[in-house]
Amino acid sequence: MLAGVLITESLRHDVTLERLNLRVDKISRWRNPDPAPGQPDTWTIVDFTSDRSDPMGLADQFAQALSSPGWYVDFHTEDQKFVVFPDKTFAYRRGDDRGRAEAVAYARSAGVPDDQCDWGE
């Protein structure tokens, strides 16, 4: 089982995602008081779960669909964390400080503001 979060505004305008095999658990709207340049001030957040057996396959689908700069999708399995950027994915053991630090460093270089590098483990 895997679980994660997708901000729908992070998707490119010309993309269609199909056969994701995701279950939507919650959809919420959130007003970001300090969006990064190019980000809207209201986000639609989709919390999802899936019983997919190929988390890297899902990561690849998201990586090809995300807009840039400054967007990512994160999800986790029982023991692994996935942080997916346009065309780049970080997968590390949950609780691995070094793996998280590498993903955060990349996020910053990709235009993600510090306060948005808040994915949970």
Side-chain angles (χ1 to χ4, degrees):
M1 181 66 91
L2 62 84
V5 176
L6 167 70
I7 298 172
T8 61
E9 288 77 13
S10 70
L11 299 174
R12 290 191 338 259
H13 288 226
D14 62 342
V15 72
T16 299
L17 289 167
E18 298 178 302
R19 295 177 194 71
L20 297 176
N21 192 25
L22 302 180
R23 185 180 80 217
V24 174
D25 296 319
K26 181 172 73 170
I27 300 174
S28 56
R29 299 270 291 163
W30 181 71
R31 187 166 177 84
N32 183 349
D34 190 26
Q39 290 182 339
D41 63 358
T42 302
W43 294 354
T44 307
I45 300 167
V46 177
D47 291 78
F48 62 86
T49 54
S50 178
D51 59 1
R52 287 181 66 140
S53 61
D54 65 334
M56 283 304 293
L58 179 60
D60 289 344
Q61 285 179 281
F62 283 142
Q64 294 174 27
L66 287 170
S67 185
S68 63
W71 292 107
Y72 67 88
V73 174
D74 70 289
F75 62 90
H76 65 272
T77 62
E78 184 175 327
D79 59 348
Q80 267 196 306
K81 182 68 181 182
F82 297 83
V83 186
V84 183
F85 300 92
D87 300 319
K88 185 158 182 78
T89 298
F90 289 84
Y92 57 89
R93 293 196 65 74
R94 291 178 72 184
D96 175 0
D97 292 337
R98 182 176 177 185
R100 178 178 170 72
E102 290 174 7
V104 168
Y106 181 82
R108 289 177 178 145
S109 76
V112 178
D114 287 342
D115 66 333
Q116 292 178 22
C117 295
D118 59 351
W119 54 84
E121 290 299 307

